[in-house]
Amino acid sequence: MTANNTHNEHFERHRAAVLIPTYNNATTLEEVVKGALSYTSHVIVVNDGATDHTSTILGKYPAVHKVSYSPNRGKGIALRRGFEYALTQGYDYVITMDADGQHFASDLPGMLEKINTHPDTLVIGARNLNQENMPGKNSFANKFSNFWFYVETGLKGPDTQSGYRLYPLRRMGRTRWWCTKYEFEIEVLVRSAWKGVKIDWTPVKVYYPPAEERISHFRPFQDFSRISVLNTVLVLITFLYIKPRDFLLWMLKKENWKKMWKEEILNAEESNARKAAAIGFGVFMGIVPIWGFQLLVAFLVSVKLKLNKALVFLAAHVSTPPLTPFVIFFSFLAGKVWMGRSAKDLLFDKHFSIAAVGDNLLQYVFGAITLAIAAGLAAWAISYALLAIFRKNK
């Protein structure tokens, strides 16, 4: 089959190829390959250890780049092998299509056009999730995935599970990926966003055959469990490393201070009481003794209460170095009020024991909660007073 010259030239100008991972999709693979070849001669098929007549089908198309191995390793490995091969062949972009016939080759020009308008962007083909034959579990899984993607990256999008994607390989770099199966498509989105790769969406068509004709290698229990474990890891990394890192980098830019002061502090659309509440709540969450989860809880609660997330996040860093020792010391000191005669002046005295550790920990926890409440209320009152004076003058 001869590719459309105009579209093929666009693929060559952008150094782009179509990448099709496949495993036992012999009934649909040929039509998918023919569809891709009608737009470009730059097609890569990764045979992920297929045991049907996939090899015979691919043998009909000598112009197609083929990557084959055995046994089956999973979609994540197939995509990773495809990325590596594409880079060695000099491609800067790949557009991935599933081999089950769900994607339409007619959407390839629209995906490719995104390189002109949004270069170095990872583009996801957003499906119509309300169309006929769309499995109900797919809609739920997509909403579930969209939510956690937002938590992990702060980005909102209509579809984070579509396999129809434009990957900017050079911009993504040679990352050492973790995942090997379906969950890889979540990992690659989140970790690319962490690296500063822009994420965008464009509408695409999708075909879902009736249930009796549908072929899927997705294993609900095993794969959903793997996805859940991955999201747990990604959320922990987000709030223990990514958020603090991004905050520090943000704080180092002078223009961001000016922007926050103008848009968040001086913004007349938000009342003084709401701003002060965000600051006070942030200080409370920064001190309350749930180390490792303070920013996560602060973020989720601020979203629920519709507080100013920027101010909450900024104020919650009250306990970060170099202030951490002071917060711990004053928390321990405040805990003496609750411990009575068993209160300690130091974290541990010379009679070290498990009981002593328990007593000190309890004193710290009680004191940290007390200090968090007191400091939060004080931060609210002081912030409210200063905002009332300054914003009135403005």
Side-chain angles (χ1 to χ4, degrees), residues 352-393:
F352 180 82
S353 65
I354 297 300
V357 173
D359 287 343
N360 282 275
L361 180 62
L362 195 61
Q363 182 172 329
Y364 162 72
V365 171
F366 284 170
I369 294 173
T370 303
L371 182 63
I373 294 172
L377 291 173
W380 177 87
I382 295 171
S383 300
Y384 183 82
L386 292 175
L387 286 166
I389 294 171
F390 188 82
R391 297 181 86 191
K392 182 178 180 180
N393 291 339

Side-chain angles (χ1 to χ4, degrees), residues 26-274:
T27 57
T28 55
L29 176 62
E30 186 162 11
E31 288 303 313
V32 174
V33 171
K34 288 168 62 177
L37 286 173
S38 68
Y39 285 88
T40 179
S41 59
H42 300 277
V43 177
I44 303 169
V45 177
V46 180
N47 180 357
D48 182 26
T51 56
D52 57 8
H53 55 287
T54 290
S55 297
T56 303
I57 293 172
L58 293 179
K60 300 178 183 179
Y61 302 93
V64 170
H65 297 269
K66 304 173 187 68
V67 178
S68 300
Y69 52 85
S70 186
N72 171 254
R73 298 288 304 280
K75 188 177 184 181
I77 291 293
L79 288 171
R80 288 163 56 177
R81 295 280 182 91
F83 291 172
E84 293 169 2
Y85 179 82
L87 285 169
T88 63
Q89 297 301 304
Y91 292 110
D92 294 336
Y93 296 88
V94 292
I95 299 175
T96 58
M97 296 179 66
D98 290 345
D100 57 7
Q102 292 184 12
H103 300 151
F104 289 81
S106 58
D107 284 316
L108 286 171
M111 297 287 284
L112 197 63
E113 180 62 26
K114 282 289 186 176
I115 300 177
N116 292 326
T117 57
H118 298 77
D120 291 332
T121 298
L122 197 164
V123 181
I124 305 169
R127 304 161 294 175
N128 176 6
L129 299 178
N130 298 313
Q131 70 179 60
E132 184 180 3
N133 292 330
M134 168 64 76
K137 63 182 180 181
N138 284 33
S139 297
F140 168 79
N142 193 58
K143 291 178 182 178
F144 180 84
S145 179
N146 293 348
F147 169 77
W148 287 113
F149 180 70
Y150 173 63
V151 171
E152 293 152 3
T153 66
L155 302 175
K156 290 184 177 180
D159 190 355
T160 54
Q161 291 200 315
S162 172
Y164 210 158
R165 300 180 179 185
L166 169 68
Y167 287 101
L169 299 181
R170 302 291 178 186
R171 178 64 182 85
M172 289 162 56
R174 293 185 178 272
T175 304
R176 297 186 65 179
W177 305 106
W178 309 326
C179 300
T180 62
K181 300 187 183 299
Y182 284 99
E183 71 276 8
F184 170 77
E185 291 184 301
I186 296 173
E187 180 198 357
V188 70
L189 282 187
V190 174
R191 295 185 64 193
S192 293
W194 286 352
K195 291 183 66 173
V197 177
K198 293 182 179 179
I199 311 294
D200 197 11
W201 286 261
T202 190
V204 297
K205 300 180 292 295
V206 63
Y207 169 68
Y208 273 99
E212 62 274 12
E213 301 177 14
R214 196 173 301 142
I215 298 175
S216 175
H217 302 299
F218 185 84
R219 301 165 300 172
F221 178 77
Q222 296 97 320
D223 290 318
F224 189 76
S225 297
R226 294 170 70 95
I227 291 171
S228 297
V229 170
L230 173 64
N231 276 317
T232 300
V233 172
L234 293 175
V235 167
L236 289 174
I237 295 174
T238 296
F239 288 95
L240 293 178
Y241 172 66
I242 299 298
K243 291 294 185 182
R245 179 204 67 180
D246 292 347
F247 176 77
L248 180 60
L249 293 175
W250 188 89
M251 291 282 286
L252 292 175
K253 297 181 180 179
K254 185 177 180 179
E255 60 270 22
N256 289 333
W257 283 89
K258 294 179 179 179
K259 182 179 179 181
M260 185 181 71
W261 184 258
K262 181 178 179 180
E263 297 182 3
E264 304 292 349
I265 303 297
L266 302 181
N267 186 358
E269 296 180 1
E270 191 173 38
S271 69
N272 293 340
R274 295 287 295 177

